[in-house]
Amino acid sequence: MAAPEERDLTQEQTEKLLQFQGLLGWGYYLIMLPFRFTYYTILDIFRFALRFIRPDPRSRVTDPVGDIVSFMHSFEEKYGRAHPVFYQGTYSQALNDAKRELRFLLVYLHGDDHQDSDEFCRNTLCAPEVISLINTRMLFWACSTNKPEGYRVSQALRENTYPFLAMIMLKDRRMTVVGRLEGLIQPDDLINQLTFIMDANQTYLVSERLEREERNQTQVLRQQQDEAYLASLRADQEKERKKREERERKRRKEEEVQQQKLAEERRRQNLQEEKERKLECLPPEPSPDDPESVKIIFKLPNDSRVERRFHFSQSLTVIHDFLFSLKESPEKFQIEANFPRRVLPCIPSEEWPNPPTLQEAGLSHTEVLFVQDLTDE
């Protein structure tokens, strides 16, 4: 019976020893906690101040595309040309393209000095099945953290170790990291984890595609409605323009008719005033007993007859003025004699600057003259 008691005693002592070690560990942790806090706080302050004194040259990104191209060349020189298709653009451009195309974006940050980077690139990243998966289902952007562009992305993603992969996609309308893979990983495991991440988040892309299609359809519908509205507006404006033109045309026509009426009225008034003036200027009609008088019977275009006496010594212009003063005479006319048939030069012309007298024109004591209307000629 002594052996079991001895074993129980040994077990009890062991438990007490473990409890004592645990209490000792906690005590040491509590004692060192202020010192550790002070140490790391001072270290962080020192690092923060060191950034201003000696800034990291990688923080100045001057040629981001050049950084990407340089990394691609060094990668192919070291691991060959069989690799996933690198996105040949900046990180921001890759994000924008992935957002626009609604695709997954796989980001690889290469640590040149890390011990696992070489094996990961050679055996995992360049494996045919990995290349096929990445090329068919996502965009692939990669850069070295020794390059300014890679360092800038590293500051944004905050990786802990290398190799580092981040899966980024449009989620809730913003580009979001939906998966992080850190450390060395084998091809099969990488394929499984990438597939799992994509399958778990595929619904977000499907939903975003549906929303985008709905927005596009709404935009197209709104555009069609706007175009229809603009077409209707243009048609209404065209109708209104034609109405305005028609109103303007009618207004101008009415004004033109009114102007014509006013002009005609003025012309008639002027004509009447001229007739009255001619009538007032006519010399007195000679008496029938005057031996130098000429009796003339005028046949007007309206078949009416007018008779008057003139003096042989008077100019033919007096005959014209007499006829012109009559209300029934036309505005423009010429006077013709029948025997012999001729037109009397009653108005000054190049041939007759001073019209002849009745005697010079060969008129007899009694004459019949014909008035020919020239108004329409």
Side-chain angles (χ1 to χ4, degrees):
M1 297 297 293
E5 292 178 358
E6 189 174 320
R7 285 197 300 271
D8 292 340
L9 181 61
T10 303
Q11 184 177 0
E12 183 179 354
Q13 291 175 347
T14 301
E15 291 177 355
K16 289 181 178 181
L17 179 61
L18 291 175
Q19 291 176 358
F20 175 75
Q21 289 177 347
L23 293 173
L24 183 63
W26 276 103
Y28 176 78
Y29 175 77
L30 293 175
I31 293 172
M32 293 301 296
L33 180 62
F35 297 99
R36 290 168 60 88
F37 176 78
T38 303
Y39 170 76
Y40 284 112
T41 301
I42 295 174
L43 182 60
D44 289 340
I45 293 174
F46 175 76
R47 288 175 177 174
F48 180 77
L50 189 62
R51 292 180 182 177
F52 294 94
I53 299 173
R54 295 180 57 189
D56 194 322
R58 296 177 299 175
S59 62
R60 294 190 296 270
V61 181
T62 57
D63 185 13
V65 177
D67 295 340
I68 304 302
V69 174
S70 175
F71 171 71
M72 290 172 51
H73 291 165
S74 63
F75 187 95
E76 291 180 348
E77 289 177 359
K78 192 170 183 179
Y79 305 111
R81 305 177 71 86
H83 56 75
V85 177
F86 290 109
Y87 183 90
Q88 299 187 30
T90 66
Y91 176 68
S92 298
Q93 292 171 340
L95 287 176
N96 290 333
D97 283 353
K99 181 179 180 179
R100 185 181 67 256
E101 300 174 11
L102 292 179
R103 298 183 64 185
F104 290 99
L105 173 64
L106 183 62
V107 175
Y108 170 59
L109 293 178
H110 183 78
D112 293 271
D113 301 326
H114 196 276
Q115 59 184 3
D116 294 331
S117 296
D118 185 73
E119 181 180 351
F120 174 78
C121 292
R122 193 178 305 277
N123 298 329
T124 301
L125 194 58
C126 294
E129 57 272 24
V130 174
I131 295 174
S132 176
L133 175 67
I134 293 175
N135 288 346
T136 55
R137 299 195 60 182
M138 65 198 75
L139 296 177
F140 182 63
W141 186 91
C143 191
S144 170
T145 55
N146 288 340
K147 303 291 184 182
E149 176 70 357
Y151 178 75
R152 182 176 68 85
V153 178
S154 172
Q155 295 298 301
L157 297 180
R158 296 293 182 181
E159 75 280 7
N160 295 315
T161 186
Y162 301 97
F164 174 77
L165 293 167
M167 184 71 83
I168 303 175
M169 61 169 288
L170 182 64
K171 184 177 180 180
D172 298 329
R173 298 192 176 182
R174 60 189 299 267
M175 297 304 288
T176 307
V177 177
V178 294
R180 299 167 64 96
L181 302 177
E182 299 181 273
L184 184 62
I185 186 172
Q186 298 303 314
D188 292 340
D189 293 336
L190 176 61
I191 292 174
N192 292 335
Q193 294 197 40
L194 291 179
T195 303
F196 175 79
I197 293 172
M198 289 188 292
D199 292 343
N201 294 277
Q202 188 68 34
T203 54
Y204 293 102
L205 289 183
V206 173
S207 176
E208 182 61 31
R209 287 192 184 98
L210 293 176
E211 290 182 6
R212 185 171 293 184
E213 290 179 0
E214 184 177 354
R215 287 196 300 271
N216 290 338
Q217 292 177 356
T218 302
Q219 184 177 1
V220 170
L221 179 60
R222 186 180 296 112
Q223 183 178 358
Q224 292 175 347
Q225 291 174 344
D226 292 342
E227 291 176 354
Y229 169 76
L230 290 176
S232 176
L233 180 61
R234 285 193 293 267
D236 293 340
Q237 291 174 343
E238 182 65 17
K239 291 179 181 178
E240 184 62 26
R241 184 187 64 82
K242 290 182 178 180
K243 288 181 180 179
R244 287 198 306 268
E245 290 180 352
E246 181 65 19
R247 289 196 297 267
E248 182 65 18
R249 187 188 65 79
K250 289 182 178 180
R251 186 188 65 81
R252 289 197 301 266
K253 184 66 175 177
E254 291 174 357
E255 288 184 354
E256 183 179 351
V257 171
Q258 187 65 23
Q259 292 295 333
Q260 291 177 353
K261 288 181 178 180
L262 292 175
E264 179 66 17
E265 185 65 25
R266 285 193 298 268
R267 187 188 66 79
R268 290 180 179 178
Q269 185 176 356
N270 293 335
L271 180 63
Q272 184 60 33
E273 292 176 355
E274 181 68 14
K275 286 178 177 289
E276 292 175 356
R277 189 181 65 81
K278 294 288 188 182
L279 180 60
E280 292 176 356
C281 294
L282 287 176
E285 182 178 3
S287 65
D289 299 333
D290 190 344
E292 296 296 322
S293 66
V294 179
K295 178 184 176 182
I296 302 178
I297 301 173
F298 299 99
K299 287 187 143 183
L300 300 178
N302 60 359
D303 294 333
S304 63
R305 291 171 176 250
V306 178
E307 180 180 325
R308 191 182 189 278
R309 291 182 177 274
F310 299 89
H311 201 278
F312 270 120
S313 61
Q314 293 174 346
S315 172
L316 291 178
T317 305
V318 177
I319 298 178
H320 185 276
D321 292 344
F322 167 73
L323 290 173
F324 182 80
S325 65
L326 299 177
K327 292 183 179 180
E328 58 269 25
S329 65
E331 294 182 23
K332 296 174 62 177
F333 58 88
Q334 66 183 12
I335 304 172
E336 297 179 353
N338 210 10
F339 299 104
R341 189 172 186 83
R342 64 192 185 278
V343 176
L344 299 180
C346 299
I347 301 176
S349 62
E350 293 181 0
E351 185 179 357
W352 295 94
N354 297 311
T357 63
L358 277 65
Q359 188 174 9
E360 292 173 344
L363 298 183
S364 60
H365 285 281
T366 302
E367 287 285 347
V368 177
L369 300 180
F370 298 88
V371 179
Q372 184 178 2
D373 189 357
L374 299 179
T375 304
D376 296 332
E377 294 184 4

